[in-house]
Amino acid sequence: MKAKRLLLGLATVTAALALGGHALAGHADTTDTTDSSSVVSDSSSTTSDSGSTVQTKALSKAYVVYGAGLASEDKDSVATALGVKSNYAALTATGSDYAKYLNSAGTTDASMISSVALAPADPGSGVKVNIAKYNGSNNITQVTAQQYSMVATMAGVKDVIITVTADKSVSGESALTGVYKALAADGLTLNAENTQAANGVLDATQPAINDNSSDKKYPGKLMAAVGSVSSDLAKQRQNGNDLATKADIEAMLQKALAKQGITNQTTQTQINNISIALSKVQQAPVSTSKNYVSNVKNVANNLANSIGNKMASVKDFANSADAKQAENFIVRIWHQIVNFFTGLFN
């Protein structure tokens, strides 16, 4: 009996090792920690009314957030464009939400047109964004998938797939409000200073994106450069060094743009404004988190060669068929190991 218990114990350990990576991947809330310099004081996702430094837990379920300006008769067709399923929790993003998360008063409900779907992604995958066509048309006329991805990351978001659409032509600037509202509904409220600083990067990069609209590679390269600099600035702050000056940030950005080969496509005025926006991100709480340093660097690397409006595929969703198939495979291994050792004594 002792030998049998010993071998069964070895089977359990072996199976646990096989399952370990998958188990951790399925429960990021138990493995993701925040560094001591973060404002997060415990394992929960929030520390105060202002929210946490970065997203500290995986999104628990999928959400769809409709713009308050969306006509009720168009909701079903928008849901179809977003790929919404019956298990998505539905919310509405209002003008008040825009003011709350982006500190911009005066936005009306009627102007909240764009809608978003938010789904859990596999741990470590970062933020991936798809801009979905509505009745065959891309109605998000300015903001690119790459901008959404980097700006959401700078706000403290991670490991989600965001899908954006609108039933009429809009700039797309209000879409991130829906992302932040969905996270708050899931218990993952982000710090308002972070979301506001991140939105400043969206505003600062828009003119350069617009000026290079004919170059499909430019948005990914620009946001990769911006993310790389932000990661370095956060690391500098965490190392106890003085905050970088505007001149320092400009020099870092120039170097990053040169690495991406787009220096000549970005004007000095644009570089100046982006540098100011990056400075505000460095001063925001998000830059005190070691998790942010790696999150933004990983997303920057993903964006460098990103082209077009579709960054995520079915396999990237945490609840995808591929993920379920992998889970079933691991379970089968477990049963085979246990049955093998049990069979030795039958």
PDB file of all heavy atoms in Angstrom, residues 77 81 131-140 165-167 309:
ATOM      1  N   SER A  77     -27.693  45.055 -35.203  1.00  0.00           N
ATOM      2  CA  SER A  77     -26.723  44.982 -36.301  1.00  0.00           C
ATOM      3  C   SER A  77     -25.322  45.352 -35.832  1.00  0.00           C
ATOM      4  O   SER A  77     -24.326  44.797 -36.314  1.00  0.00           O
ATOM      5  CB  SER A  77     -27.157  45.885 -37.461  1.00  0.00           C
ATOM      6  OG  SER A  77     -27.398  47.205 -37.028  1.00  0.00           O
ATOM      7  N   ALA A  81     -21.931  42.968 -35.898  1.00  0.00           N
ATOM      8  CA  ALA A  81     -20.626  43.426 -36.397  1.00  0.00           C
ATOM      9  C   ALA A  81     -19.527  43.188 -35.368  1.00  0.00           C
ATOM     10  O   ALA A  81     -18.389  42.856 -35.729  1.00  0.00           O
ATOM     11  CB  ALA A  81     -20.696  44.910 -36.758  1.00  0.00           C
ATOM     12  N   ILE A 131     -10.856  46.476 -35.592  1.00  0.00           N
ATOM     13  CA  ILE A 131     -11.880  47.442 -35.986  1.00  0.00           C
ATOM     14  C   ILE A 131     -12.773  46.742 -37.000  1.00  0.00           C
ATOM     15  O   ILE A 131     -12.324  46.386 -38.089  1.00  0.00           O
ATOM     16  CB  ILE A 131     -11.263  48.718 -36.569  1.00  0.00           C
ATOM     17  CG1 ILE A 131     -10.393  49.410 -35.511  1.00  0.00           C
ATOM     18  CG2 ILE A 131     -12.355  49.660 -37.063  1.00  0.00           C
ATOM     19  CD1 ILE A 131      -9.689  50.658 -36.001  1.00  0.00           C
ATOM     20  N   ALA A 132     -14.016  46.514 -36.605  1.00  0.00           N
ATOM     21  CA  ALA A 132     -14.933  45.732 -37.428  1.00  0.00           C
ATOM     22  C   ALA A 132     -15.733  46.626 -38.372  1.00  0.00           C
ATOM     23  O   ALA A 132     -16.152  47.733 -38.003  1.00  0.00           O
ATOM     24  CB  ALA A 132     -15.886  44.940 -36.535  1.00  0.00           C
ATOM     25  N   LYS A 133     -15.935  46.137 -39.565  1.00  0.00           N
ATOM     26  CA  LYS A 133     -16.753  46.873 -40.533  1.00  0.00           C
ATOM     27  C   LYS A 133     -18.226  46.766 -40.149  1.00  0.00           C
ATOM     28  O   LYS A 133     -18.669  45.762 -39.588  1.00  0.00           O
ATOM     29  CB  LYS A 133     -16.537  46.323 -41.937  1.00  0.00           C
ATOM     30  CG  LYS A 133     -15.163  46.625 -42.507  1.00  0.00           C
ATOM     31  CD  LYS A 133     -15.035  46.120 -43.938  1.00  0.00           C
ATOM     32  CE  LYS A 133     -13.676  46.494 -44.522  1.00  0.00           C
ATOM     33  NZ  LYS A 133     -13.537  46.033 -45.928  1.00  0.00           N
ATOM     34  N   TYR A 134     -18.974  47.809 -40.470  1.00  0.00           N
ATOM     35  CA  TYR A 134     -20.417  47.818 -40.244  1.00  0.00           C
ATOM     36  C   TYR A 134     -21.092  47.892 -41.612  1.00  0.00           C
ATOM     37  O   TYR A 134     -20.899  48.850 -42.358  1.00  0.00           O
ATOM     38  CB  TYR A 134     -20.828  49.013 -39.384  1.00  0.00           C
ATOM     39  CG  TYR A 134     -22.315  49.097 -39.127  1.00  0.00           C
ATOM     40  CD1 TYR A 134     -22.903  48.376 -38.091  1.00  0.00           C
ATOM     41  CD2 TYR A 134     -23.130  49.886 -39.922  1.00  0.00           C
ATOM     42  CE1 TYR A 134     -24.261  48.438 -37.853  1.00  0.00           C
ATOM     43  CE2 TYR A 134     -24.499  49.971 -39.700  1.00  0.00           C
ATOM     44  CZ  TYR A 134     -25.063  49.240 -38.662  1.00  0.00           C
ATOM     45  OH  TYR A 134     -26.421  49.310 -38.437  1.00  0.00           O
ATOM     46  N   ASN A 135     -21.816  46.847 -41.942  1.00  0.00           N
ATOM     47  CA  ASN A 135     -22.448  46.753 -43.272  1.00  0.00           C
ATOM     48  C   ASN A 135     -21.435  47.004 -44.388  1.00  0.00           C
ATOM     49  O   ASN A 135     -21.713  47.699 -45.372  1.00  0.00           O
ATOM     50  CB  ASN A 135     -23.610  47.747 -43.390  1.00  0.00           C
ATOM     51  CG  ASN A 135     -24.816  47.326 -42.561  1.00  0.00           C
ATOM     52  OD1 ASN A 135     -24.940  46.162 -42.174  1.00  0.00           O
ATOM     53  ND2 ASN A 135     -25.697  48.270 -42.282  1.00  0.00           N
ATOM     54  N   GLY A 136     -20.235  46.460 -44.212  1.00  0.00           N
ATOM     55  CA  GLY A 136     -19.209  46.545 -45.246  1.00  0.00           C
ATOM     56  C   GLY A 136     -18.350  47.786 -45.206  1.00  0.00           C
ATOM     57  O   GLY A 136     -17.424  47.916 -46.007  1.00  0.00           O
ATOM     58  N   SER A 137     -18.624  48.711 -44.278  1.00  0.00           N
ATOM     59  CA  SER A 137     -17.867  49.963 -44.236  1.00  0.00           C
ATOM     60  C   SER A 137     -17.113  50.102 -42.909  1.00  0.00           C
ATOM     61  O   SER A 137     -17.651  49.770 -41.847  1.00  0.00           O
ATOM     62  CB  SER A 137     -18.801  51.171 -44.390  1.00  0.00           C
ATOM     63  OG  SER A 137     -19.468  51.127 -45.641  1.00  0.00           O
ATOM     64  N   ASN A 138     -15.886  50.612 -42.991  1.00  0.00           N
ATOM     65  CA  ASN A 138     -15.132  50.945 -41.787  1.00  0.00           C
ATOM     66  C   ASN A 138     -15.521  52.370 -41.392  1.00  0.00           C
ATOM     67  O   ASN A 138     -15.094  53.334 -42.019  1.00  0.00           O
ATOM     68  CB  ASN A 138     -13.630  50.854 -42.030  1.00  0.00           C
ATOM     69  CG  ASN A 138     -12.827  51.312 -40.822  1.00  0.00           C
ATOM     70  OD1 ASN A 138     -13.356  51.416 -39.718  1.00  0.00           O
ATOM     71  ND2 ASN A 138     -11.550  51.598 -41.033  1.00  0.00           N
ATOM     72  N   ASN A 139     -16.322  52.475 -40.348  1.00  0.00           N
ATOM     73  CA  ASN A 139     -16.831  53.786 -39.942  1.00  0.00           C
ATOM     74  C   ASN A 139     -15.986  54.470 -38.879  1.00  0.00           C
ATOM     75  O   ASN A 139     -16.330  55.562 -38.427  1.00  0.00           O
ATOM     76  CB  ASN A 139     -18.274  53.640 -39.442  1.00  0.00           C
ATOM     77  CG  ASN A 139     -19.249  53.346 -40.575  1.00  0.00           C
ATOM     78  OD1 ASN A 139     -19.019  53.749 -41.709  1.00  0.00           O
ATOM     79  ND2 ASN A 139     -20.319  52.641 -40.266  1.00  0.00           N
ATOM     80  N   ILE A 140     -14.893  53.830 -38.469  1.00  0.00           N
ATOM     81  CA  ILE A 140     -13.948  54.488 -37.552  1.00  0.00           C
ATOM     82  C   ILE A 140     -12.919  55.177 -38.440  1.00  0.00           C
ATOM     83  O   ILE A 140     -12.009  54.553 -38.969  1.00  0.00           O
ATOM     84  CB  ILE A 140     -13.269  53.477 -36.613  1.00  0.00           C
ATOM     85  CG1 ILE A 140     -14.320  52.652 -35.868  1.00  0.00           C
ATOM     86  CG2 ILE A 140     -12.348  54.190 -35.640  1.00  0.00           C
ATOM     87  CD1 ILE A 140     -15.246  53.456 -34.985  1.00  0.00           C
ATOM     88  N   THR A 165     -16.576  49.218 -33.445  1.00  0.00           N
ATOM     89  CA  THR A 165     -17.330  49.510 -34.668  1.00  0.00           C
ATOM     90  C   THR A 165     -18.263  50.688 -34.413  1.00  0.00           C
ATOM     91  O   THR A 165     -18.425  51.140 -33.277  1.00  0.00           O
ATOM     92  CB  THR A 165     -18.131  48.279 -35.152  1.00  0.00           C
ATOM     93  OG1 THR A 165     -18.482  48.455 -36.529  1.00  0.00           O
ATOM     94  CG2 THR A 165     -19.396  48.067 -34.335  1.00  0.00           C
ATOM     95  N   ALA A 166     -18.884  51.177 -35.476  1.00  0.00           N
ATOM     96  CA  ALA A 166     -19.878  52.252 -35.377  1.00  0.00           C
ATOM     97  C   ALA A 166     -20.830  52.135 -36.549  1.00  0.00           C
ATOM     98  O   ALA A 166     -20.446  51.666 -37.627  1.00  0.00           O
ATOM     99  CB  ALA A 166     -19.199  53.624 -35.368  1.00  0.00           C
ATOM    100  N   ASP A 167     -22.062  52.566 -36.350  1.00  0.00           N
ATOM    101  CA  ASP A 167     -23.064  52.456 -37.415  1.00  0.00           C
ATOM    102  C   ASP A 167     -23.043  53.649 -38.358  1.00  0.00           C
ATOM    103  O   ASP A 167     -23.818  53.701 -39.306  1.00  0.00           O
ATOM    104  CB  ASP A 167     -24.457  52.265 -36.821  1.00  0.00           C
ATOM    105  CG  ASP A 167     -24.928  53.482 -36.033  1.00  0.00           C
ATOM    106  OD1 ASP A 167     -24.069  54.205 -35.489  1.00  0.00           O
ATOM    107  OD2 ASP A 167     -26.145  53.717 -35.967  1.00  0.00           O
ATOM    108  N   ASN A 309      -6.581  46.699 -39.710  1.00  0.00           N
ATOM    109  CA  ASN A 309      -7.549  46.842 -38.634  1.00  0.00           C
ATOM    110  C   ASN A 309      -7.791  45.579 -37.827  1.00  0.00           C
ATOM    111  O   ASN A 309      -8.618  45.584 -36.915  1.00  0.00           O
ATOM    112  CB  ASN A 309      -8.894  47.308 -39.216  1.00  0.00           C
ATOM    113  CG  ASN A 309      -8.814  48.719 -39.759  1.00  0.00           C
ATOM    114  OD1 ASN A 309      -8.091  49.556 -39.235  1.00  0.00           O
ATOM    115  ND2 ASN A 309      -9.568  48.994 -40.820  1.00  0.00           N
TER     116      ASN A 309
END
